[in-house]
Amino acid sequence: MALLKILYRPFPRIGGAKNKFWAALAFGIFVFLFLFFFKPFGIGTFTTRQILLYALGFGGVTFAVMFINLLILDKIFSSFFKEETWTVGKEIFITLVHIVFIGLGNYLFANWLSITETSFNRLLYFEFISLSLSIFPVTVWTLIKENMLLRRNRKEAEEFEPVLHPEKTPAIAAEGTVKQEIIPPGYDINLPITFTSENESATLKADPRQVLFISSADNYIKIYLLEGDAVIQKLLRSSLKRTGDDLKNHHQFYRCHRAYIVNLQKIESVSGNARGLKLILENCPVEVLVSRSLNDVIKMKLQQIHSL
């Protein structure tokens, strides 16, 4: 039961071609170094030049296979790879799936080099070696990384407390200076918002004081509105990019994630897990994700909002 709880803990998914490239390259370099220095599977009998070439070859195959997997698997199985549902267990599982493909790639490469025979048993041998050498370090590294990220993000979430509730920590809130440039002088931030559909055939008007956040939903956006103590949703065929244009004069709204635009005035607290920071909004059961690269920007904008 304790193990299941660990496997269901949140974990960040590798996103973006650049991050996927570096993750695949790290795997390839690891395989190269392992083969070159430890010389397993009898390659220690080869010359140094042969060992170097073989290690580079297997490392290159590892990099190529993993990079291709990272690029295409989440497109084919998009429902499985949702960022908001990614866990420690999924990270371990998909890494082992990568290793199965890497084992196949390295078997085909070794067969091409004529350093192994063509047989199903040899393929199974490559897969067995790949998995047996990987499952323990993959699991341990994933758990260590989850713990490190959890500690870091919780600590960073705590730093938002004096920004959101300066009355509780006046000494901390007084440190530094805040640029009050977020809203132009004389501008009424409570002017009604008009959300426009992608083809401009439909509109939705809303009081900005009621809008909690907007999320993307395929070809639609979901607008979360606070009516009394209840949260309701409005659906409009549009995109967050188009919605950003609708909100360009409403400076209390900010796109904090590729899938979310949040009303900064509605944030009550910030929490953190291994995936990153989450914004907790007024009377809202849904937590809004923050892109890891925008943590400092969100903090600065909250300081600006609360300094008005």
Side-chain angles (χ1 to χ4, degrees):
M1 186 63 71
L3 177 60
L4 284 176
K5 287 183 178 179
I6 293 173
L7 294 178
Y8 279 109
R9 286 179 184 172
F11 197 85
R13 186 177 66 83
I14 299 174
K18 184 178 179 180
N19 291 332
K20 291 175 180 179
F21 173 86
W22 288 114
L25 184 62
F27 253 79
I29 291 173
F30 172 79
V31 168
F32 163 74
L33 293 175
F34 178 79
L35 293 176
F36 185 75
F37 288 105
F38 290 96
K39 304 175 180 62
F41 319 127
I43 65 173
T45 59
F46 300 159
T47 65
T48 301
R49 184 173 181 275
Q50 286 176 317
I51 294 172
L52 176 63
L53 292 175
Y54 287 152
L56 281 172
F58 284 115
V61 169
T62 297
F63 161 73
V65 170
M66 188 165 182
F67 187 48
I68 292 170
N69 277 357
L70 287 170
L71 287 177
I72 67 173
L73 286 181
D74 60 348
K75 297 185 184 300
I76 299 173
F77 305 103
S78 56
S79 59
F80 177 78
F81 283 91
K82 287 184 178 179
E83 182 181 5
E84 57 269 25
T85 60
W86 201 247
T87 62
V88 168
K90 284 186 174 183
E91 180 70 13
I92 293 172
F93 169 75
I94 202 62
T95 304
L96 294 179
V97 169
H98 292 321
I99 289 167
V100 168
F101 279 99
I102 289 168
L104 173 62
N106 282 329
Y107 163 75
L108 294 174
F109 180 66
N111 193 261
W112 179 70
L113 291 176
S114 300
I115 59 176
T116 189
E117 63 186 41
T118 304
S119 71
F120 184 66
N121 285 339
R122 290 302 293 176
L123 172 59
L124 290 180
Y125 173 75
F126 267 78
E127 295 292 6
F128 172 76
I129 291 297
S130 298
L131 286 170
S132 61
L133 290 175
S134 304
I135 190 165
F136 180 73
V138 163
T139 301
V140 170
W141 169 243
T142 303
L143 294 177
I144 290 173
K145 186 177 179 181
E146 186 270 339
N147 186 262
M148 291 170 57
L149 291 172
L150 178 62
R151 289 173 179 269
R152 186 194 71 184
N153 291 332
R154 280 182 174 174
K155 182 179 180 181
E156 191 155 356
E158 291 173 358
E159 295 174 0
F160 280 79
E161 183 63 18
V163 177
L164 291 167
H165 304 286
E167 72 282 357
K168 296 180 181 179
T169 51
I172 298 176
E175 294 179 1
T177 58
V178 177
K179 296 180 181 179
Q180 299 186 26
E181 300 172 352
I182 191 168
I183 298 175
Y187 183 79
D188 184 1
I189 63 174
N190 296 320
L191 287 174
I193 302 169
T194 300
F195 294 99
T196 310
S197 65
E198 200 68 45
N199 58 9
E200 300 185 358
S201 62
T203 60
L204 189 153
K205 288 191 176 182
D207 184 334
R209 291 168 293 191
Q210 290 183 295
V211 180
L212 294 170
F213 69 96
I214 305 101
S215 68
S216 62
D218 296 324
N219 294 324
Y220 292 81
I221 59 167
K222 287 182 181 179
I223 304 167
Y224 289 75
L225 300 166
L226 186 62
E227 291 193 356
D229 291 333
V231 176
I232 64 170
Q233 297 178 29
K234 298 286 186 178
L235 201 64
L236 187 68
R237 189 175 182 85
S238 187
S239 65
L240 286 189
K241 183 179 180 181
R242 176 59 185 259
T243 304
D245 293 335
D246 294 335
L247 295 169
K248 63 183 178 181
N249 291 323
H250 297 270
H251 303 274
Q252 69 271 45
F253 289 90
Y254 182 68
R255 187 166 182 175
C256 60
H257 187 272
R258 61 177 179 77
Y260 297 98
I261 294 175
V262 67
N263 185 344
L264 298 168
Q265 293 180 313
K266 295 297 182 180
I267 300 173
E268 291 195 332
S269 61
V270 180
S271 65
N273 57 31
R275 269 189 221 127
L277 299 184
K278 297 184 294 181
L279 306 176
I280 298 156
L281 309 180
E282 180 182 341
N283 292 333
C284 185
V286 182
E287 295 176 327
V288 175
L289 302 179
V290 177
S291 292
R292 291 185 287 276
S293 61
L294 296 177
N295 290 357
D296 291 336
V297 177
I298 287 289
K299 190 185 300 181
M300 180 194 71
K301 288 188 175 292
L302 284 171
Q303 285 176 323
Q304 292 172 334
I305 281 287
H306 285 275
S307 68
L308 297 175

